[in-house]
Amino acid sequence: MVRGLSGAPTQRWPSMHALLAVLERGQPRRRWPWVTAGLLAVAGAFAAMRVPVAAAERCSGGELRVSRVWDDTRRQAVLRALLTAGPGDRAATAKAVAREVDGYAQTWAEARRDACLATHARGEQSDAQLERRMDCFDRRLHELEGLLVMLEQAEGDTFVHAAAAVRRLPPPSQCSVGDLRLEASPAEDGPLAGRLAELRTLTLLRQSERVVPLAQELIRDANAVAGAAVAIEAQYLLGRAQLDLGDRAAERTLAETYWSAVREGLDELAAQAALERASAGEAAGSAIEAKLEWARHAEAAVLRAGEIRGTSASSRGSSRPSRRPAATSRPCALTTSARSSCSFAPGRRARATWAAPTPTTPSR
């Protein structure tokens, strides 16, 4: 407009077409809204990246915790004790123990970290559920420490079953399964918990002669203070020790354990007692029917435990419990040549095949 009103003809627009061309172009477009939108998008992406990074940092303490239980000092103490305990190939045993504990420690740390990320990174479970899982991991680590302390004092034939004892520890994966009730049982929280933990460790090491008197004493003390859960588990460990020693009293002990556990609603312990009872005694004549009957008791207890507290094995990480019995699952394999061996993860049914006892032909 100012140029068009100029008094000098040379300063005006040369033609109307030139003026219209300038008006059509208009003023330069303002770009700041697009710049702002881009900055907001970058900030959002950065914030999204910070969430898993912060969660990873928050869930990275497992390695440190397990290292306090299994560090170089304890490793050397355990290996030194195993190398000086009794005859046999002690070096191979010590090496196997170290390998098993290394594997357990790594599995524990990884499972604990995954459970933590399930809350803080993936949002798959609540803080309350995570807290219960962390309590479960703490108990697994305490059981490992109890075994290592006893191995540091290894003597006699203790070292023979040392590596197998580590393998028999409850797996850390038990603490990462579905939407479960993972609080400590009365047997794990009461005043007699330390003595019960010692019995468990001795059982892992197959120190049956030491287990028998300690279990009998603990049963008496637990009954005196109405500690039913402790007394029943101690009775179960007594039955296992008697069975290991070839004592026929094991059959009665394990049967009583089963019915006591059923009355108290301890279905997993009832299943374990029934399985051990099924493996006791001779597999000949009418004893076969008795074994089959106890196997059915065991399966019923496993299914009860699964229906009440369980989730299917395929639903790991899900908070939806499964109420459907696994029709094709059996408690554990039973044979007459070897004792049953089961590990009942909370909420996970034991899967194995059923092997009916093979009748033995009586000698003439």
Side-chain angles (χ1 to χ4, degrees), residues 15-48:
S15 67
M16 185 61 68
H17 293 290
L19 175 60
L20 292 175
V22 171
L23 291 175
E24 288 178 357
R25 288 200 300 268
Q27 297 182 356
R29 296 178 181 177
R30 291 181 295 180
R31 302 179 183 276
W32 65 265
W34 298 102
V35 174
T36 302
L39 291 175
L40 290 175
V42 171
F46 180 76

Side-chain angles (χ1 to χ4, degrees), residues 113-169:
R113 180 177 183 275
D114 184 71
C116 181
L117 291 175
T119 292
H120 296 302
R122 302 192 296 271
E124 296 172 353
Q125 62 187 5
S126 65
D127 289 336
Q129 183 72 359
L130 175 62
E131 183 178 358
R132 293 194 291 271
R133 294 196 192 285
M134 293 298 107
D135 289 342
C136 179
F137 282 113
D138 288 344
R139 294 196 298 273
R140 296 291 85 84
L141 190 60
H142 182 70
E143 290 164 355
L144 173 64
E145 185 175 21
L147 177 58
L148 294 175
V149 168
M150 194 162 289
L151 290 179
E152 286 184 90
Q153 307 164 2
E155 58 183 16
D157 62 347
T158 301
F159 81 99
V160 175
H161 303 288
V166 180
R167 290 193 295 269
R168 295 190 197 105
L169 284 169

Side-chain angles (χ1 to χ4, degrees), residues 1-354:
M1 182 68 70
V2 174
R3 185 175 177 180
L5 295 176
S6 175
T10 58
Q11 299 297 323
R12 302 189 200 120
W13 297 103
S15 67
M16 185 61 68
H17 293 290
L19 175 60
L20 292 175
V22 171
L23 291 175
E24 288 178 357
R25 288 200 300 268
Q27 297 182 356
R29 296 178 181 177
R30 291 181 295 180
R31 302 179 183 276
W32 65 265
W34 298 102
V35 174
T36 302
L39 291 175
L40 290 175
V42 171
F46 180 76
M49 292 174 59
R50 285 293 301 168
V51 172
V53 170
E57 293 175 353
R58 189 172 185 176
C59 299
S60 62
E63 292 79 2
L64 177 61
R65 296 197 61 178
V66 77
S67 69
R68 295 170 182 167
V69 172
W70 181 240
D71 56 9
D72 289 339
T73 301
R74 173 155 282 162
R75 176 192 293 269
Q76 295 304 320
V78 169
L79 295 181
R80 184 165 53 250
L82 292 174
L83 289 172
T84 58
D89 192 355
R90 292 167 292 181
T93 298
K95 183 177 180 180
V97 168
R99 182 175 62 251
E100 294 292 342
V101 177
D102 286 341
Y104 189 94
Q106 180 180 355
T107 300
W108 184 92
E110 291 174 352
R112 185 181 185 276
R113 180 177 183 275
D114 184 71
C116 181
L117 291 175
T119 292
H120 296 302
R122 302 192 296 271
E124 296 172 353
Q125 62 187 5
S126 65
D127 289 336
Q129 183 72 359
L130 175 62
E131 183 178 358
R132 293 194 291 271
R133 294 196 192 285
M134 293 298 107
D135 289 342
C136 179
F137 282 113
D138 288 344
R139 294 196 298 273
R140 296 291 85 84
L141 190 60
H142 182 70
E143 290 164 355
L144 173 64
E145 185 175 21
L147 177 58
L148 294 175
V149 168
M150 194 162 289
L151 290 179
E152 286 184 90
Q153 307 164 2
E155 58 183 16
D157 62 347
T158 301
F159 81 99
V160 175
H161 303 288
V166 180
R167 290 193 295 269
R168 295 190 197 105
L169 284 169
S173 59
Q174 287 187 357
C175 303
S176 302
V177 182
D179 184 19
L180 305 175
R181 178 182 177 274
L182 296 172
E183 297 91 337
S185 69
E188 294 167 323
D189 270 349
L192 303 175
R195 292 166 61 184
L196 183 59
E198 181 185 7
L199 273 183
R200 291 170 180 163
T201 303
L202 289 171
T203 301
L204 290 173
L205 291 168
R206 300 285 296 275
Q207 298 296 297
S208 300
E209 292 182 354
R210 296 174 61 185
V211 168
V212 170
L214 292 175
Q216 291 171 336
E217 182 180 358
L218 181 55
I219 292 169
R220 289 193 299 269
D221 293 346
N223 285 328
V225 297
V230 174
I232 293 171
E233 185 169 351
Q235 188 176 37
Y236 165 69
L237 297 175
L238 172 62
R240 286 189 58 178
Q242 291 172 331
L243 190 60
D244 191 49
L245 295 171
D247 187 347
R248 293 297 297 272
E251 298 180 21
R252 178 177 179 180
T253 301
L254 292 168
E256 292 176 353
T257 300
Y258 170 79
W259 294 114
S260 297
V262 168
R263 285 193 297 271
E264 293 294 327
L266 303 173
D267 290 312
E268 292 178 6
L269 186 56
Q272 291 174 326
L275 285 170
E276 296 287 357
R277 176 60 184 83
S279 67
E282 297 294 332
S286 60
I288 296 179
E289 280 301 319
K291 287 177 176 290
L292 293 173
E293 181 67 21
W294 279 108
R296 286 190 285 269
H297 284 316
E299 184 170 16
V302 171
L303 294 177
R304 283 196 305 271
E307 290 171 357
I308 293 172
R309 297 187 295 171
T311 61
S312 64
S314 62
S315 65
R316 179 175 180 177
S318 170
S319 60
R320 182 177 299 173
S322 171
R323 300 279 181 178
R324 183 182 302 170
T328 59
S329 298
R330 294 288 182 176
C332 276
L334 296 180
T335 64
T336 58
S337 59
R339 290 174 52 193
S340 61
S341 176
C342 289
S343 176
F344 290 90
R348 179 176 295 183
R349 299 184 185 91
R351 295 179 63 89
T353 56
W354 164 254

